[in-house]
Amino acid sequence: MKQDGRTVTVETRGYRIDIGRSPFSITTRRAGKTVLATAAGGAFDVTRPDGTRITPTQVRKARWSHGTLSLDVATSDAAATLNVKITPSADRYQVRTAVTGTTATAAAMHLDMASGKHWYGHGEAKSDAEGEPDTRQPWPLDAATGKEQVNDTAFGPASYLMIEPFWFTATSAGLYMKTGNLMHVSLGRVHPGVADFEVTDTSALDATVFVERDPRAVYQDYIGIAGKPQKIGATPDQFEKPLWNSWAQFYSTVDQKGFLEYARSLHDAGVLGHTMQLDDGWMTHYGDYTWNTKFPDPKGMSDQIHAMGYKFGVWITQWINLDADNYQVAKDKGYLLKSKQDPSQPCTVTWWNGKAGLIDLGNPDAYKWYEGQLKKLQADYGVDGFKFDTRFFDERCAASNGLDAAGYRKLGAELAQQFDLQGAGIRVHWTGAQKYGFVTRTVDKGTDWASLNAAVKQNLAVSVIGYPFVATDMIGGSDSMPPPASDVLVRWAQAAAVMPIEYSSTSPLKVYDFVNKKWVTYPPEVARDYAAATRLHAALAPYIRVQAARAVRTGEPIMKPLFFQHPDDAASYTVADEWLLGDALLAAPVLAAGTARDVHLPPGRWYDVVRHRVIKGGDLHGYAADLNTVPLFVRMGTPDTARLLKILK
């Protein structure tokens, strides 16, 4: 440690930390350049129970002992002191804060976004914009403006969104907030140009700042903490063919006759698929695992699906609506999460299908009861697997048996692991959930071009927080919008063809328009081009499975941003409509109306699959790609080059 009247400096091999004494600040430098800095308006603050914010002002005392720099920092409250401990190690340092002299109910860290240039991580982004995150996802995170800037006031392990307390930058810095508490995360929305990370129900922070040679190394550092997948979360046929789910085709109006006709028409049209999955609309009430009158012969329906060569699955949830027969059963037996205000009563929450209780997986008897409901569906009706569409905990409720939100996540994950998730996966997240290796589907999307672009960006965002087995929401979207136009549906199928997993619903033959109350019949070429996209994905399946095995070995994403492989290519950091599948295949599908697009190729030699030529990296303007063309480029000279050329030539 070195210090003078203005600065305290800690220098380690590879980076340097400069602490400004007055005003108090922290600046991280690597190779003489600033890679991350606290915000000019204040590095930290804490919030009192009355809402008053206390901010640090100047360093009173700095001391170095046993590898840790301890700082006593004066604050805007003369009676309160912020204690900051900085412990450096190779490629990272830990920052822990505590406050004395006052009581605090929240603690926050504030970073200057410009110091990191571009920001990534976080996962599915929530903002103040109308329609998000169904039609919006910034990439990079700092690309958003106005109401589209990230602003999530309920950022935590029980969120329905796939999120992670990990962010990294184009300057190869990163931040991990070690907490299981709810956070408020704002990236420029609350304070312009400032990344705000506030942890609630605490007066202390525990953060790790990564300082690395490139962003990919920062990602690997975080995976070293969170863990890599311990298994591949999909079967070989789930990597090869799409899952067909009934939701966007029928929503909850689905019935037995329509579902069977849907499956049969896709089968007869030669569109590939491994499973026919029945979504919402089959239960008598939400939380009753019994069939309503629209399904007079569920076992016969299951048998017919199997006879077509598909597996059969159904949608399930852990919410039990108040009008369900099972609600009273679960209430009487104490199987529901309890109210925080009145622990003698069940907690009542509102979800998208009404008011409900939530099964308490922390109660072993409730766990077994719910598990038994699912196994009975399998035994009685030939159900092969499930689409879990639920939260396993809700912060509005009281936990039991000493559990917290992460504990319920663990119980939910262990429950789901018993069953075939059929490529629909499950939304389980937060530091440590990576180990389960689940397929992850992103949240419901709209059906327009903006939604398709949001789907691509969210897949990238989820990939770079440690979940490699990603699928977009159903090809073509849903979200109660009119069905996708022909070109949107085909282009979405083409984009999904060069992603790890395909998840389908809207039939390329015909679909009902619930907004305009009419059937939409697509032109014959839509089914032809959609089927071609599924065949492309099937051809790539052996390559994708190699990448899946690599993800288990190393934690490496399958779908990744260009700069992961090409960190010195400055243009790659803002490319939001291309990606690498593995390290060797660059996908640049058309994600907007028209039959041409601009393509950016990082430096090196690339094989242009469409034009059958080897070209140098650079920008290709107006690259022609009609509706049956997917622009793909194979990087020459990689271990996978020969494999891909054999598949794609």
Side-chain angles (χ1 to χ4, degrees), residues 26 36 38 42-45 93 95 107-111 175 177 194-199 205 207 209:
I26 301 176
L36 196 65
T38 53
F44 303 96
D45 64 46
Y93 61 89
V95 181
M109 183 176 190
H110 309 283
L111 298 174
L175 175 69
M177 299 296 292
V194 176
D196 298 304
F197 307 98
E198 181 181 67
V199 183
L205 291 179
V209 176

Side-chain angles (χ1 to χ4, degrees), residues 189-264:
R189 178 64 177 150
V190 175
H191 301 107
V194 176
D196 298 304
F197 307 98
E198 181 181 67
V199 183
T200 64
D201 297 320
T202 185
S203 60
L205 291 179
D206 186 346
T208 297
V209 176
F210 301 103
V211 191
E212 271 289 6
R213 62 190 183 278
D214 59 49
R216 189 174 189 164
V218 179
Y219 168 85
Q220 290 293 351
D221 287 343
Y222 179 64
I223 293 303
I225 294 172
K228 58 191 178 184
Q230 295 178 358
K231 67 175 186 178
I232 297 174
T235 60
D237 64 329
Q238 291 166 7
F239 281 115
E240 181 179 350
K241 302 172 186 176
L243 160 69
W244 287 94
N245 175 285
S246 65
W247 177 246
Q249 186 74 8
F250 299 102
Y251 295 104
S252 58
T253 67
V254 64
D255 60 21
Q256 181 168 323
K257 181 175 181 292
F259 184 64
L260 286 171
E261 288 177 351
Y262 169 67
R264 192 171 293 109

Side-chain angles (χ1 to χ4, degrees), residues 405-449:
Y408 277 93
R409 178 206 68 197
K410 181 175 183 291
L411 288 170
E414 291 171 349
L415 173 73
Q417 278 186 316
Q418 300 179 56
F419 302 101
D420 181 2
L421 304 183
Q422 301 186 317
I426 192 168
R427 294 189 182 105
V428 170
H429 60 91
W430 213 253
T431 312
Q434 289 84 351
K435 67 182 180 183
Y436 298 112
F438 289 128
V439 170
T440 297
R441 66 182 188 277
T442 58
V443 295
D444 291 8
K445 298 290 177 297
T447 59
D448 55 10
W449 291 112

Side-chain angles (χ1 to χ4, degrees), residues 25-236:
S25 64
I26 301 176
T27 302
T28 307
R29 294 184 170 90
R30 180 181 172 88
K33 297 180 180 179
T34 296
V35 296
L36 196 65
T38 53
F44 303 96
D45 64 46
V46 295
T47 304
R48 285 176 171 158
D50 64 2
T52 303
R53 289 189 180 270
I54 299 172
T55 57
T57 54
Q58 63 181 10
V59 177
R60 287 176 173 164
K61 186 176 182 180
R63 55 198 178 278
W64 178 267
S65 177
H66 302 291
T68 294
L69 173 65
S70 297
L71 305 168
D72 294 339
V73 185
T75 71
S76 55
D77 178 352
T81 299
L82 184 71
N83 307 116
V84 181
K85 294 184 181 296
I86 298 175
T87 305
S89 57
D91 64 49
R92 72 193 68 182
Y93 61 89
Q94 184 182 31
V95 181
R96 289 165 292 166
T97 70
V99 66
T100 56
T102 192
T103 300
T105 57
M109 183 176 190
H110 309 283
L111 298 174
D112 173 31
M113 292 187 72
S115 67
K117 293 186 179 178
H118 298 302
W119 289 70
Y120 311 89
H122 186 98
E124 294 174 325
K126 185 178 180 182
S127 71
D128 299 329
E130 184 179 353
E132 58 69 44
D134 303 4
T135 60
R136 294 177 176 87
Q137 172 80 27
W139 182 274
L141 291 165
D142 53 279
T145 58
K147 290 186 176 181
E148 295 186 12
Q149 291 173 307
V150 174
N151 187 31
D152 192 339
T153 59
F155 189 90
S159 172
Y160 191 70
L161 298 178
M162 283 293 299
I163 52 178
E164 199 81 3
F166 168 61
W167 299 263
F168 64 97
T169 71
T171 57
S172 305
L175 175 69
Y176 161 49
M177 299 296 292
K178 185 179 181 181
T179 182
N181 295 5
L182 275 178
M183 296 178 64
H184 178 187
V185 177
S186 164
L187 301 182
R189 178 64 177 150
V190 175
H191 301 107
V194 176
D196 298 304
F197 307 98
E198 181 181 67
V199 183
T200 64
D201 297 320
T202 185
S203 60
L205 291 179
D206 186 346
T208 297
V209 176
F210 301 103
V211 191
E212 271 289 6
R213 62 190 183 278
D214 59 49
R216 189 174 189 164
V218 179
Y219 168 85
Q220 290 293 351
D221 287 343
Y222 179 64
I223 293 303
I225 294 172
K228 58 191 178 184
Q230 295 178 358
K231 67 175 186 178
I232 297 174
T235 60

Side-chain angles (χ1 to χ4, degrees), residues 454-468:
V456 167
K457 295 171 188 176
Q458 284 180 7
N459 262 19
L460 284 170
V462 172
S463 292
V464 299
I465 58 172
Y467 302 92

Side-chain angles (χ1 to χ4, degrees), residues 109 223 308 396 507-508 516 602:
M109 183 176 190
I223 293 303
M308 293 180 217
R396 294 171 288 186
S507 170
N516 297 302

